[in-house]
Amino acid sequence: MDLAEALHASETRFRAAFTDAGIGMALVDPHDRIIEANPALAEMLGRSVPDLIRLHIHELLDVEEEARRVYLELLRGDRDRIRLEKRLKHRSGHAVWTNVTISLIRDADGRPQYTLAMVEDVSEARRLGDRLHYQAVHDPLTMLPNRSLFFDRLAGAFAEADQRIGLCYLDLDGFAAINDTLGHHVGDDLLVAVAERLEQRFAARGHLVARMGGDEFAVLVPRSAGPEELTALAAEVVALLSAPYDLAGQRVVATASVGVVERPVPGTTPTDLVRDADATLSWAKSDGRARWAFYDPERIASQTTRQLLATTMLPALERGEFVVEYQPLVSLHGGPDDRAPDDDRPDDGAPVGPEDAALCGVEALVRWQHPEFGKLSPDRFIGIAEETGAIVPLGRWVLETACTEGRAWLERFPESELFVSVNLAARQFWDSDVVADVAEILGSTRFPARLLQLELTESAVMGPAGRPLEALHALAAMGVRIAIDDFGTGYSNLAYLSRLPVHVLKLDGSFLEGFQEGAEAVAAVAGPGRYARRQAADEQIVLALVQLAHALGLTVTAEGVESALQADRLRAAGCDTAQGWHFGRAMPAEAIVELLTPRQ
């Protein structure tokens, strides 16, 4: 075979491969015009082969600047091959996604002559990828953007540094109950209905509505006009979602709570925005549900402090940061000015002063010597301790410390018979063996059970029979006195009271508000008649409670006594013991020693 025949055979084979190839192919001249195209490319673009000849490639695709630069390098001979992903234009108007490989064809001298484009249709793979991406960033139930897409859009909104941004973070009230009572299919239908309402109302305004997970949704306002826009939107959400839903043949009523945050983009982050919105949502829940709450930095700071206290409480107990102070409990009928009921000495109306009352006991009150916040009173951390369970080791430590101090006082002043009153929380009954703890501590400290008084709130004892009641009977059988703290502010189940092993009722300080000194100043504000009625009512309530307690064989302690006038009226009402700032504030154990030491 001579050279001409060989060239002809080679050209024939190339043309056959070109024509019959399963992928699109085109030969393009240096001026970007197609000089040859195969049937596969024509079919791919909805055209015929003749239609493609002499067609400029710009009529088939948009060439970006970077792609054009690389292509020119190919035409100059600086490259031999380039690969691109390009969107070609089908004759009917839709896009055809392709992978394009363009190779340079040189002449016999090596100069660039033509380019050969090989085009593979990847539209189906692209559509599959798009579907997978869509599914990855959209909730499959509601078809709303999911948490991932929400954070992508949120990051985009934060790219506009000169804007304000707002977020309404919401969830449904009592959604778990709907699932439990009506079924998860109704719960799913409700989520879909909520999503439709939110999207129809707010998406058209340019807001992003997303499902964050479970029954939580978010409405993002990328360019907020200010707090007023967000609070109005939140109120609109609450009203919109409170309208009844017809689901699976059932009429369902659901409400939503909304947390609202609105602020300038500078000075915050996406994480801060979502965190604060979530915290604010919890405020709306705790404030009563079916409402919105606006972000309050002071409330957030308080919550942050609360969380810090919760996480550091047990380590602080191990480090010895807690101390116990003792507030005097005095007998109102044991001082030098006491009179028997039949005493015929004239009553000069002299009020009871601290020197007229005999010290009979102390209440142990724990304090936290916090290295950052200073001395913290129990109201700052006892509630946290009860929630986290730290109250069990903390309460046991307080009890042991108080009994140890009580034993020391008893050994030094045996005639004093000073009792020690220690508070117990309801959780100590459920999370620990209180009876065993008390018995062990009394044994190890050698403190007499008769001098230990345990205080519990009404809510802890005025409930159904069970472990707390059994423990109370066991403690009473040991000789420990039981006191109900803040009596009159809780359940006040008087019929149940007679069946409890209780020895003492401690009247809440609110009952003494009508016993105030400076009646003229109060009357000037409230009116003389109104003040007099309140004062008389408070005195009658205290008198009735004292008489009731005495009828049941109980003694009565008044809390919060702040003046001699209050002390005198309590004594006249028959109250047995009292405590309050009038008799002494909580003090270290050494100060109790000074009170017990006889005066020279």
Side-chain angles (χ1 to χ4, degrees):
M1 181 183 296
D2 59 17
L3 180 60
E5 291 176 342
L7 290 174
H8 178 72
S10 175
E11 181 180 349
T12 301
R13 288 193 297 270
F14 172 79
R15 187 161 299 280
F18 185 89
T19 302
D20 298 333
I23 63 172
M25 300 181 71
L27 200 62
V28 182
D29 68 16
H31 304 293
D32 297 342
R33 292 191 177 275
I34 297 174
I35 54 179
E36 287 195 47
N38 70 347
L41 179 62
E43 182 180 358
M44 188 185 305
L45 300 178
R47 298 172 181 268
S48 64
V49 171
D51 288 339
L52 294 176
I53 303 305
R54 304 307 301 168
L55 200 64
H56 198 284
I57 60 173
H58 287 181
E59 297 181 59
L60 298 177
L61 70 148
D62 297 320
V63 181
E64 299 85 356
E65 182 177 347
E66 177 62 20
R68 182 62 181 171
R69 182 187 65 79
V70 174
Y71 183 64
L72 290 176
E73 292 177 359
L74 180 76
L75 291 181
R76 290 196 303 267
D78 298 337
R79 293 171 176 263
D80 290 321
R81 185 178 293 102
I82 60 175
R83 291 184 176 87
L84 304 169
E85 182 180 8
K86 299 301 299 180
R87 183 178 62 181
L88 305 184
K89 300 172 185 177
H90 194 275
R91 189 165 201 162
S92 63
H94 67 265
V96 179
W97 285 97
T98 63
N99 284 334
V100 182
T101 300
I102 304 177
S103 300
L104 180 64
I105 298 177
R106 303 173 184 268
D107 61 16
D109 297 325
R111 292 188 296 269
Q113 188 174 17
Y114 304 107
T115 56
L116 176 65
M118 291 177 286
V119 184
E120 181 184 5
D121 187 349
V122 295
S123 298
E124 186 58 36
R126 179 69 181 238
R127 283 191 290 270
L128 176 60
D130 290 344
R131 285 198 300 272
L132 293 175
H133 179 263
Y134 181 89
Q135 292 170 4
V137 297
H138 285 79
D139 172 53
L141 177 64
T142 64
M143 305 311 293
L144 288 178
N146 64 12
R147 190 179 187 87
S148 176
L149 182 54
F150 169 83
F151 277 102
D152 283 346
R153 298 286 178 82
L154 183 61
F158 267 80
E160 302 184 39
D162 59 340
Q163 296 293 331
R164 298 184 68 89
I165 193 165
L167 176 62
C168 287
Y169 204 85
L170 63 120
D171 75 0
L172 302 180
D173 302 321
F175 179 71
I178 293 175
N179 270 337
D180 294 342
T181 57
L182 302 180
H184 287 270
H185 65 289
V186 175
D188 287 347
D189 290 346
L190 175 60
L191 293 175
V192 171
V194 167
E196 290 175 350
R197 290 187 185 184
L198 293 174
E199 188 171 36
Q200 290 173 3
R201 180 67 64 90
F202 301 115
R205 304 180 190 177
H207 306 332
L208 174 68
V209 178
R211 183 186 178 196
M212 304 298 286
D215 61 326
E216 294 184 349
F217 296 83
V219 181
L220 177 66
V221 181
R223 297 184 177 184
S224 167
E228 296 79 8
E229 179 186 8
L230 267 295
T231 54
L233 190 151
E236 192 175 354
V237 168
V238 172
L240 175 68
L241 300 186
S242 64
Y245 301 81
D246 292 318
L247 307 172
Q250 301 184 69
R251 194 167 181 79
V252 177
V253 176
T255 59
S257 299
V258 187
V260 185
V261 178
E262 197 281 339
R263 59 182 57 149
V265 167
T268 191
T269 66
T271 301
D272 293 340
L273 188 76
V274 175
R275 179 200 63 204
D276 293 343
D278 191 25
T280 309
L281 169 60
S282 70
W283 302 345
K285 291 283 191 184
S286 61
D287 291 344
R289 301 186 175 190
R291 64 188 64 211
W292 57 267
F294 194 79
Y295 173 77
D296 179 359
E298 292 185 2
R299 192 167 178 179
I300 283 287
S302 176
Q303 284 189 332
T304 302
T305 301
R306 184 179 178 87
Q307 180 63 27
L308 176 64
L309 295 180
T311 56
T312 59
M313 189 173 298
L314 289 179
L317 181 60
E318 296 175 357
R319 291 193 298 265
E321 293 179 8
F322 289 92
V323 296
V324 178
E325 295 183 344
Y326 302 89
Q327 185 171 39
L329 280 153
V330 303
S331 171
L332 295 178
H333 302 283
D337 192 40
D338 288 335
R339 300 168 187 159
D342 57 350
D343 194 336
D344 58 359
R345 288 180 297 165
D347 188 349
D348 58 7
V352 177
E355 69 283 354
D356 300 318
L359 180 66
C360 61
V362 293
E363 180 179 356
L365 299 171
V366 64
R367 304 286 190 259
W368 187 348
Q369 294 282 14
H370 198 280
E372 181 179 352
F373 304 120
K375 182 187 287 188
L376 302 180
S377 58
D379 61 301
R380 291 286 303 277
F381 61 86
I382 288 297
I384 301 173
E386 292 179 352
E387 291 176 9
T388 61
I391 191 65
V392 173
L394 178 61
R396 195 183 193 285
W397 177 84
V398 172
L399 179 63
E400 185 172 14
T401 302
C403 289
T404 301
E405 297 288 0
R407 179 64 191 180
W409 296 326
L410 183 62
E411 290 178 349
R412 187 167 179 179
F413 307 99
E415 73 286 350
S416 68
E417 286 285 305
L418 194 70
F419 74 86
V420 177
S421 191
V422 180
N423 291 277
L424 290 184
R427 188 159 183 176
Q428 290 176 262
F429 286 91
W430 293 107
D431 292 3
S432 67
D433 190 341
V434 170
V435 177
D437 287 345
V438 171
E440 181 184 346
I441 290 172
L442 290 177
S444 63
T445 61
R446 296 183 296 112
F447 188 61
R450 71 179 187 281
L451 297 182
L452 176 61
Q453 177 174 288
L454 299 177
E455 297 185 20
L456 301 95
T457 61
E458 287 185 63
S459 60
V461 297
M462 294 292 194
R467 187 170 182 178
L469 183 57
E470 295 171 359
L472 288 181
H473 281 286
L475 291 169
M478 292 167 52
V480 175
R481 296 199 298 180
I482 307 298
I484 297 182
D485 196 14
D486 299 328
F487 185 77
T489 61
Y491 291 94
S492 300
N493 188 335
L494 301 180
Y496 192 63
L497 180 63
S498 63
R499 297 192 290 273
L500 290 172
V502 174
H503 306 86
V504 182
L505 296 186
K506 298 190 72 174
L507 299 184
D508 186 72
S510 61
F511 290 114
L512 306 186
E513 292 180 359
F515 290 25
Q516 299 291 337
E517 291 183 289
E520 296 81 2
V522 177
V525 177
R530 180 179 176 184
Y531 177 77
R533 287 193 300 273
R534 178 177 180 181
Q535 185 181 50
D538 283 348
E539 291 193 16
Q540 289 299 316
I541 291 173
V542 170
L543 181 61
L545 290 175
V546 170
Q547 291 175 345
L548 170 67
H550 287 170
L552 295 173
L554 310 178
T555 59
V556 179
T557 299
E559 299 179 290
V561 180
E562 297 181 354
S563 68
L565 179 62
Q566 289 178 331
D568 190 56
R569 288 177 174 169
L570 287 167
R571 186 180 65 170
C575 191
D576 303 289
T577 57
Q579 66 185 101
W581 289 359
H582 175 62
F583 301 108
R585 302 194 180 198
M587 59 189 71
E590 297 79 11
I592 299 298
V593 172
E594 295 180 12
L595 292 180
L596 291 172
T597 302
R599 298 177 183 177
Q600 300 298 326

